[in-house]
Amino acid sequence: MNVLNKEVFNQTKKVLGLIVSNKLVNGFSKQFKSYMFQYPKFKPIVSADTDDKKMIYLCDTLKKETDIPDLLKTFIKENDIKVIEKDISLNYNNFSYEQVLKTLLPKDVGIPFSFERIGHIIHVNLKDEQLPFKYIIGQAILDKNIQVKTVLNKVGEIDTVFRTFKIEILAGEPDLVAEIKENECIFRFNFEEVYWNSRLQYEHMELVNTFKKEDIICDMFAGVGPFALPAAKIKKCKVYANDLNPSSVKYMKENAKTNRLESKVEISNLDARDFVKSLVEKSIPFTQVVMNLPSTSIEFLDVFRDIFLNSTIPPPIPPPIINCYTFTKLDESSDLIKDTIKNVENVIGTKVPSDCVCYEVRDVAPKKSMMRITFRMPTILPYVGSLTTTPTTTTTTPTTTTPTTTSTLTSTTTNISTSAPTTTTTTESSNTNTSTNNVEDKNNKKRNSTEDSNETNETDSIDTNKKLKN
């Protein structure tokens, strides 16, 4: 069965109705709402035969007068309310998304409740057992969500180069150009051509909130600009943004223009390593690096290793703060935070500073999590050059319930031997406090799925973040 048959839901129900005086309707609705007939897009209170009275339909579980609860019976008796039997007609529009699929899907096939909303598009990842019913599911999602015009399903794996994936349209219009507003910026893009993940909305702002106006941002895998544009608009930072995908660059330029940020955001279409090298060659003293390519971000840390851990050439710019997103697998004997730090150290060839910040952003699969690690890039030789202005770099960890916590990441000079790396911390000014060995649990940020009588509007959640300040 691949087509949703709406006629299945055409039915007549026999219910009890009460003829109630107009002056009693409000009180009845408040006191006995749970006993009223409640279906989507169905009015349980309608006009009666006379202008001074209303008909109130009772829920279909109360099939005869003897089923009426005692409290309601007393109300009916005291107010001389007439009880009658009525036939009411229902159709497809009177059933919720869950009710529709419970009716149409086999009992052993789960109903998909988790999907991503991107403007007028809803994106689902159907399981194998749901695929034979994909068009029924797609049509139900389309019908029961307002302002949705297109429902699509991911086909195959994410491309590791451009982070795009093949899609199939399950219901609605073949219009894949979406427009959304996130973190005070308008984004427009073709969902099939670029990478976008609405589940990361809060994480985008979480990182941007750590930036200062004086920061210069180097966004190596910028996509259509979910980090770059808010950093420029909200924090007034100068941003250098790059992506290898020409379509991402095209839409990022359009978005920068739409948000009037052309003078604040310079956009490149280069390999990420070449992009970093080009900024260094121009002596652009970027202070914050964003690396949001979780599948391979850590591998690109070698470009900073070559620049800042050179034993013969001092770094050409002060060491920046690295904000790297990565996937880390978890098994019974491992630790997400320790394993993430170890993975970074394996690439850069030395230990990260002791005040690094590492936490779990969200689960992406069983025993696999998206992590963020933030640390100031270590150096062997100290930076000895001079810049007209050296921006102050601080990282801030915002929470939803407490005032923002600020921590300064220290500059670290490292001596590297062929046997085992050692780390020596150079003391900063006496008023710089560094937090060590401090474990901080972060509150959940969740956008809970909601369903009212007219629609199902599924949104996404960010899993509990676990933060470690070593």
Side-chain angles (χ1 to χ4, degrees), residues 268-397:
S268 302
N269 181 205
L270 299 170
D271 169 82
R273 293 182 180 90
D274 293 338
F275 169 65
V276 171
K277 292 174 184 177
S278 70
L279 297 183
V280 172
E281 288 171 0
K282 298 173 186 176
S283 297
I284 295 173
F286 52 86
T287 60
Q288 298 272 0
V289 177
V290 181
M291 303 178 70
N292 183 28
L293 186 64
S295 58
T296 57
S297 281
I298 282 182
E299 298 173 16
F300 287 83
L301 288 170
D302 61 1
V303 69
F304 300 105
R305 178 195 65 203
D306 296 343
I307 294 170
F308 294 98
L309 293 172
N310 189 313
S311 60
T312 59
I313 303 174
I317 61 173
I321 291 174
I322 308 292
N323 303 280
C324 182
Y325 291 92
T326 183
F327 293 137
T328 303
K329 294 182 179 180
L330 179 67
D331 56 42
E332 294 179 358
S333 61
S334 64
D335 180 277
L336 281 173
I337 291 171
K338 291 180 180 178
D339 287 354
T340 301
I341 293 173
K342 182 180 179 181
N343 293 340
V344 169
E345 292 176 341
N346 286 341
V347 176
I348 65 175
T350 189
K351 290 188 176 297
V352 299
S354 60
D355 59 349
C356 76
V357 177
C358 184
Y359 69 88
E360 181 182 11
V361 177
R362 69 184 186 96
D363 293 328
V364 294
K367 297 185 178 181
K368 181 180 179 182
S369 291
M370 180 179 178
M371 308 290 292
R372 186 181 75 160
I373 180 169
T374 295
F375 62 96
R376 190 181 295 279
M377 184 64 200
T379 63
I380 296 178
L381 300 176
Y383 169 72
V384 295
S386 61
L387 298 170
T388 304
T389 57
T390 303
T392 302
T393 359
T394 58
T395 59
T396 305
T397 307

Side-chain angles (χ1 to χ4, degrees), residues 118-119 178-189 196 198 201 204-205 208 219 222 224-237 239 251-262 264-265:
I118 314 100
E179 183 173 299
I180 66 172
K181 186 172 183 179
E182 179 183 293
N183 298 329
E184 300 184 24
C185 294
I186 296 172
F187 296 91
R188 181 178 179 273
F189 50 85
W196 180 269
S198 296
Q201 176 180 354
H204 293 155
M205 202 60 224
V208 169
D219 192 345
V224 297
F227 287 107
L229 300 191
K233 186 166 188 176
I234 299 172
K235 293 296 183 174
K236 312 301 181 186
C237 298
V239 179
Y251 286 109
M252 182 160 44
K253 288 180 177 179
E254 290 183 11
N255 294 333
K257 184 176 181 180
T258 299
N259 292 280
R260 300 180 180 180
L261 295 171
E262 293 168 290
K264 298 288 289 183
V265 181

Side-chain angles (χ1 to χ4, degrees), residues 13-16 33-39 57-69 72 88:
K13 283 184 175 289
K14 191 175 292 292
V15 299
L16 297 179
K33 183 177 181 180
S34 60
Y35 298 124
M36 293 166 59
F37 190 87
Q38 297 182 35
Y39 271 66
Y57 296 114
L58 299 182
C59 59
D60 50 348
T61 57
L62 306 178
K63 300 184 181 301
K64 50 187 181 297
E65 289 191 47
T66 55
D67 295 332
I68 297 175
L72 180 53
I88 58 174

Side-chain angles (χ1 to χ4, degrees), residues 40-63:
K41 296 185 179 180
F42 184 90
K43 295 181 179 180
I45 302 175
V46 296
S47 297
D49 295 335
T50 58
D51 293 338
D52 61 338
K53 293 186 177 181
K54 298 289 186 186
M55 170 75 73
I56 299 180
Y57 296 114
L58 299 182
C59 59
D60 50 348
T61 57
L62 306 178
K63 300 184 181 301

Side-chain angles (χ1 to χ4, degrees), residues 3-287:
V3 179
L4 195 157
N5 182 6
K6 297 182 180 181
E7 293 183 2
V8 170
F9 299 91
N10 294 339
Q11 56 187 267
T12 299
K13 283 184 175 289
K14 191 175 292 292
V15 299
L16 297 179
L18 306 180
I19 307 298
V20 180
S21 171
N22 288 344
K23 64 182 181 180
L24 296 175
V25 169
N26 287 338
F28 183 95
S29 299
K30 293 178 181 178
Q31 187 174 1
F32 300 108
K33 183 177 181 180
S34 60
Y35 298 124
M36 293 166 59
F37 190 87
Q38 297 182 35
Y39 271 66
K41 296 185 179 180
F42 184 90
K43 295 181 179 180
I45 302 175
V46 296
S47 297
D49 295 335
T50 58
D51 293 338
D52 61 338
K53 293 186 177 181
K54 298 289 186 186
M55 170 75 73
I56 299 180
Y57 296 114
L58 299 182
C59 59
D60 50 348
T61 57
L62 306 178
K63 300 184 181 301
K64 50 187 181 297
E65 289 191 47
T66 55
D67 295 332
I68 297 175
D70 291 340
L71 185 63
L72 180 53
K73 280 182 180 178
T74 300
F75 182 89
I76 291 171
K77 185 177 181 180
E78 289 177 349
N79 293 282
D80 195 24
I81 294 174
K82 185 178 180 181
V83 182
I84 62 174
E85 286 190 353
K86 292 286 292 185
D87 289 333
I88 58 174
S89 298
L90 300 176
N91 57 42
Y92 175 75
N93 294 328
N94 300 127
F95 293 85
S96 69
Y97 167 76
E98 183 177 4
Q99 289 171 327
V100 167
L101 292 188
K102 272 187 176 180
T103 302
L104 298 179
L105 299 183
K107 291 183 178 180
D108 59 344
V109 175
I111 298 173
F113 288 107
S114 177
F115 33 83
E116 181 183 11
R117 177 80 176 263
I118 314 100
H120 69 276
I121 299 171
I122 280 185
H123 163 223
V124 297
N125 292 324
L126 296 183
K127 298 178 181 179
D128 290 342
E129 65 268 20
Q130 296 166 337
L131 291 177
F133 311 96
K134 59 187 178 182
Y135 296 116
I136 293 175
I137 294 170
Q139 189 63 48
I141 292 173
L142 180 70
D143 292 338
K144 302 303 177 178
N145 286 270
I146 60 173
Q147 297 180 337
V148 171
K149 297 180 180 179
T150 307
V151 180
L152 55 87
N153 180 44
K154 183 176 81 170
V155 179
E157 299 298 322
I158 294 178
D159 179 89
T160 56
V161 179
F162 291 159
R163 293 185 288 178
T164 57
F165 49 82
K166 293 181 180 179
I167 60 97
E168 60 177 342
I169 295 176
L170 303 182
E173 304 172 4
D175 179 10
L176 300 180
V177 178
E179 183 173 299
I180 66 172
K181 186 172 183 179
E182 179 183 293
N183 298 329
E184 300 184 24
C185 294
I186 296 172
F187 296 91
R188 181 178 179 273
F189 50 85
N190 187 313
F191 185 68
E192 189 176 24
E193 296 177 3
V194 305
Y195 175 79
W196 180 269
N197 191 338
S198 296
R199 294 176 176 87
L200 296 178
Q201 176 180 354
Y202 295 107
E203 179 59 26
H204 293 155
M205 202 60 224
E206 184 91 344
L207 180 57
V208 169
N209 275 336
T210 70
F211 300 157
K212 300 291 185 181
K213 180 179 180 180
E214 299 80 9
D215 275 323
I216 299 174
I217 314 301
C218 166
D219 192 345
M220 296 170 63
F221 314 102
V224 297
F227 287 107
L229 300 191
K233 186 166 188 176
I234 299 172
K235 293 296 183 174
K236 312 301 181 186
C237 298
K238 177 64 179 179
V239 179
Y240 294 88
N242 175 75
D243 203 273
L244 187 63
N245 184 350
S247 293
S248 294
V249 170
K250 168 191 168 185
Y251 286 109
M252 182 160 44
K253 288 180 177 179
E254 290 183 11
N255 294 333
K257 184 176 181 180
T258 299
N259 292 280
R260 300 180 180 180
L261 295 171
E262 293 168 290
S263 63
K264 298 288 289 183
V265 181
E266 293 192 21
I267 300 170
S268 302
N269 181 205
L270 299 170
D271 169 82
R273 293 182 180 90
D274 293 338
F275 169 65
V276 171
K277 292 174 184 177
S278 70
L279 297 183
V280 172
E281 288 171 0
K282 298 173 186 176
S283 297
I284 295 173
F286 52 86
T287 60

